[in-house]
Amino acid sequence: MSGPDYSIELAAATRGARIIAGVDEVGRGPLAGPVTAAAVVLDPECIPEGLNDSKKLSEKRRLALYDLIVAHAEVSIAHASVEEIDALNILRASHLAMERAIAGLPRRPDMALIDGNMIPRGLTVPAQAVVKGDGLSVSIAAASIMAKIRRDYVMRDLAQHYPGYGWETNAGYPSKSHIEALQNLGVTPHHRRSFKPVHNILYQDK
């Protein structure tokens, strides 16, 4: 099975879009840390080989592609905080991160290709939702790689300040060791209180 290609971007270009951004987010499922989005405008003359859904790539391959994307594309990374996730819900917070990533690009895109089946309601640019887009569009695949690596950096940094939860390896996802650490060490300011496992620990004695 072949990986993503540039055909969705080419179709948008035939409709008049010149600046086309792929947009993806990572971090909906974790119990801790922000949700992170990336927007990437690839140079059609210099698309790194091997772009794919970040989950299908080894860390070594992701890092190599990360450097190539940074060198040859326009990139914007943005986050929505734990507080925003708890206040808004994770879907709306992930869309907020996407909106911020698009707004942070050096140039306003003519078209944003959004991974998933929903377009963030706060977008001010034309957009197209692409289901499983990180496996279809190289621009969205590039965004998935950028978001994954940058969020992992955030979680490794937080792990230095809150040791014991394993964030440097589990990235805040609900691994067995993370759940045990929550029960033994308690809830940190970086845990999502609206998420059931965290909420249950906070209020189990109340």
Side-chain angles (χ1 to χ4, degrees):
M1 186 174 172
S2 61
D5 59 30
Y6 202 68
S7 59
I8 297 173
E9 290 86 343
L10 286 174
T14 63
R15 298 191 298 270
R18 290 185 311 107
I19 303 167
I20 301 162
V23 186
D24 200 2
E25 53 74 29
V26 67
R28 285 195 192 184
L31 304 179
V35 61
T36 301
V40 176
V41 178
L42 291 173
D43 177 353
E45 302 298 322
C46 195
I47 298 172
E49 288 189 22
L51 289 171
N52 208 334
D53 174 359
S54 64
K55 296 184 290 295
K56 296 180 180 177
L57 301 170
S58 68
E59 183 175 15
K60 182 179 179 183
R61 187 69 187 129
R62 280 197 299 266
L63 288 168
L65 285 166
Y66 175 95
D67 290 340
L68 289 171
I69 295 164
V70 169
H72 299 291
E74 297 173 36
V75 177
S76 173
I77 309 289
H79 311 276
S81 68
V82 166
E83 292 79 12
E84 288 169 327
I85 292 167
D86 286 340
L88 298 171
N89 74 48
I90 185 58
L91 175 62
R92 178 66 191 122
S94 66
H95 283 180
L96 181 61
M98 287 181 169
E99 293 162 16
R100 287 170 174 166
I102 293 167
L105 284 167
R107 297 181 295 165
R108 175 187 168 93
D110 302 312
M111 173 62 68
L113 303 176
I114 309 290
D115 184 55
N117 62 358
M118 294 177 67
I119 294 170
R121 63 180 183 228
L123 278 192
T124 58
V125 301
Q128 175 185 343
V130 185
V131 175
K132 297 184 178 177
D134 45 12
L136 298 172
S137 156
V138 284
S139 298
I140 298 176
S144 81
I145 292 166
M146 298 303 295
K148 163 71 174 161
I149 289 178
R150 292 292 287 274
R151 187 177 184 280
D152 283 353
Y153 285 165
V154 170
M155 295 311 295
R156 280 200 288 269
D157 182 60
L158 289 176
Q160 301 296 312
H161 301 282
Y162 293 89
Y165 296 89
W167 293 341
E168 65 278 8
T169 53
N170 64 42
Y173 282 87
S175 65
K176 184 171 181 283
S177 60
H178 188 185
I179 297 292
E180 289 174 354
L182 257 175
Q183 292 165 340
N184 296 327
L185 302 175
V187 176
T188 74
H190 298 285
H191 278 103
R192 301 173 180 180
R193 284 157 166 72
S194 57
F195 278 42
K196 195 170 183 180
V198 181
H199 184 272
N200 288 350
I201 287 169
L202 278 171
Y203 297 101
Q204 62 188 351
D205 298 323
K206 297 183 181 179

